Amino acid sequence: MSAEERIVSADAEGPDEQAIEAALRPKRLDDFVGQNRVREQLSLVLRSALKRGRTPDHVLLSGGPGLGKTTLAMIIAAELGKPLRISSGPAIERAGDLAAVLSTLSEGEVLFLDEIHRLARPAEEMLYMAMEDFRVDVVVGKGPGATAIPLDIAPFTLVGATTRAGMLPGPLRDRFGFVAHMDFYEPAELEVIVKRSARLLGVKITEEGAAEVAGRSRGTPRIANRLLRRVRDYAEVRADGVITRELARDALALYEVDERGLDRLDRAVLESLLRKFGGGPVGLSTLAVSVGEEPETVEVVAEPFLVRQGLLARTPRGRIATPAAWAHLGLTPPPNAPLAGTLFDLDDGGDQGTMIK
Ligand SMILES: Nc1ncnc2c1ncn2[C@@H]1O[C@H](COP(=O)(O)OP(=O)(O)O)[C@@H](O)[C@H]1O
Ligand SMILES: [Mg+2]
């Protein structure tokens, strides 16, 4: 499964679940929990544009799946009081597809391009000019007789989203006036989200129950909402419907989410790294093959969280497990394991894992 499919499948739990996801989406910036800096900066960008009566700068949202990129794009349109057009990099196969979208935008419309790093090259080049000059060159004909017909388009705001900011070409990145990087959420923020969603879903949950669900949500709102629904199912069938800490623990154990929030894929990656590769270093693609996943899925979905948790480190020689990883899976590191016997401790949830160069 590719990262995109996984992102989609996270939502694709049937029409009911999709409707629930939509119902849980915050509609305005004030309802958007967490990401305080991004929220404040974005609020300034939008308000000053409104004040000047101009379309705001193009916005790039980068961050892992389920952190709220699509939600923010919808909020941007709502705050501006403008319509939102939704498309994605993979959906636009040719420059002509993009020209068709761009030429039918209304003044001030917000165009959301999801997974923008997967835009085909010719479309990307067309987008440069559209972003900068609100103009596209539509090429008519082929070979020496081909002519480019310039076409004015209405001023619009592009909101691009990407799970892989590093894959975005420089010239495209530079054309965004505002780049927001969305990071994992703090447990306290996820707790607010869980309580808000519980209220909207009419689910009874105690403070401790909400904290338990939030703490196991991999720092990700989409996962928090999903776990909440699964725990609710459990509460309704096996108990009196109220989600307490005890009940949340039992339910999440059943769904194979451990107390640190690692899910099946996270644990598969970690187990393989420890058991098959002695803690590494091992290359990303080798590691991915060993768990039967696409490298991109392992890189975008599993690794950032494992790094954040101080369980895995990315080094130029490959991925390595930290001492905390061995401890988490209840294994004893062999004497020659990477980082064994060092004072190196990444177990504070910090981001230091990426600093080993
Ligand atoms: N900041 C937030 N506050 C509350 N709920 C959020 C927030 N961010 C995301 N969500 C919830 O998580 C779900 C996934 O968010 P989404 O915007 O689809 O993520 P992405 O597009 O980054 O994959 C949404 O349906 C929404 O209900
Ligand atoms: Mg999205």
Side-chain angles (χ1 to χ4, degrees):
M1 205 177 347
S2 78
E4 276 80 19
E5 282 161 343
R6 187 173 280 272
I7 294 160
V8 170
S9 76
D11 278 337
E13 297 171 311
D16 283 359
E17 301 280 348
Q18 273 179 31
I20 291 171
E21 275 274 343
L24 294 182
R25 268 185 211 285
K27 304 276 185 290
R28 303 305 292 248
L29 213 46
D30 280 343
D31 306 324
F32 193 82
V33 180
Q35 309 288 344
N36 293 337
R37 176 147 320 146
V38 167
R39 199 151 40 96
E40 196 177 342
Q41 292 170 342
L42 188 60
S43 162
L44 285 174
V45 169
L46 298 179
R47 282 215 237 150
S48 95
L50 281 172
K51 217 168 169 180
R52 285 176 293 129
R54 303 287 296 268
T55 56
D57 271 351
H58 305 298
V59 177
L60 179 66
L61 306 171
S62 90
L67 295 183
K69 298 181 297 299
T70 300
T71 303
L72 260 193
M74 291 176 169
I75 287 176
I76 289 171
E79 294 288 340
L80 293 170
K82 295 290 183 187
L84 176 73
R85 189 84 62 94
I86 299 180
S87 189
S88 75
I92 293 171
E93 286 172 13
R94 290 162 303 136
D97 299 338
L98 182 62
V101 172
L102 291 171
S103 60
T104 53
L105 288 175
S106 62
E107 169 123 23
E109 194 160 348
V110 176
L111 172 62
F112 178 51
L113 284 185
D114 210 356
E115 295 299 326
I116 193 167
H117 61 274
R118 294 185 57 193
L119 206 57
R121 204 62 212 267
E124 191 185 294
E125 272 156 21
M126 173 179 279
L127 192 59
Y128 293 163
M129 200 198 270
M131 289 171 81
E132 218 156 60
D133 303 328
F134 300 117
R135 203 163 58 89
V136 291
D137 276 342
V138 181
V139 179
V140 183
K142 277 211 167 88
T147 40
I149 302 174
L151 189 71
D152 284 334
I153 53 179
F156 68 103
T157 299
L158 177 67
V159 178
T162 180
T163 48
R164 313 190 77 192
M167 276 185 60
L168 221 57
L172 180 55
R173 209 192 154 86
D174 293 345
R175 281 170 172 81
F176 287 98
F178 177 60
V179 178
H181 180 71
M182 309 183 60
D183 216 332
F184 288 116
Y185 289 65
E186 297 300 325
E189 295 166 347
L190 289 167
E191 208 179 310
V192 174
I193 293 174
V194 167
K195 285 194 272 189
R196 175 180 176 274
S197 298
R199 188 159 27 82
L200 292 172
L201 294 173
V203 175
K204 290 201 198 73
I205 190 164
T206 65
E207 290 284 331
E208 296 78 29
E212 193 65 35
V213 174
R216 297 195 190 203
S217 298
R218 300 180 91 254
T220 308
R222 174 178 292 139
I223 296 180
N225 284 338
R226 197 158 75 214
L227 294 185
L228 174 66
R229 300 199 299 271
R230 296 295 75 80
V231 174
R232 171 211 53 196
D233 295 347
Y234 187 97
E236 282 175 357
V237 175
R238 301 243 177 123
D240 58 359
V242 181
I243 301 174
T244 60
R245 165 167 290 160
E246 272 295 289
L247 184 130
R249 277 188 190 155
D250 293 347
L252 292 172
L254 183 72
Y255 292 115
E256 298 181 89
V257 174
D258 72 22
E259 60 289 350
R260 261 179 119 142
L262 272 63
D263 64 14
R264 209 133 44 108
L265 175 65
D266 300 322
R267 269 199 311 276
V269 168
L270 217 51
E271 286 219 33
S272 182
L273 179 58
L274 299 183
R275 292 185 195 275
K276 294 185 190 151
F277 303 105
V282 60
L284 170 65
S285 32
T286 310
L287 188 58
V289 166
S290 77
V291 295
E293 285 286 353
E294 298 288 332
E296 191 187 334
T297 306
V298 171
E299 193 178 18
V300 172
V301 180
E303 281 189 353
F305 182 68
L306 294 174
V307 169
R308 171 67 164 241
Q309 286 283 308
L311 297 169
L312 178 144
R314 294 167 168 165
T315 76
R317 287 179 304 134
R319 275 53 177 169
I320 56 175
T322 65
W326 295 94
H328 185 64
L329 292 192
L331 300 170
T332 311
N336 61 343
L339 307 176
T342 66
L343 291 174
F344 192 73
D345 184 7
L346 292 166
D347 200 13
D348 62 358
D351 217 1
Q352 295 95 319
T354 50
M355 277 164 51
I356 309 170
K357 285 270 154 65

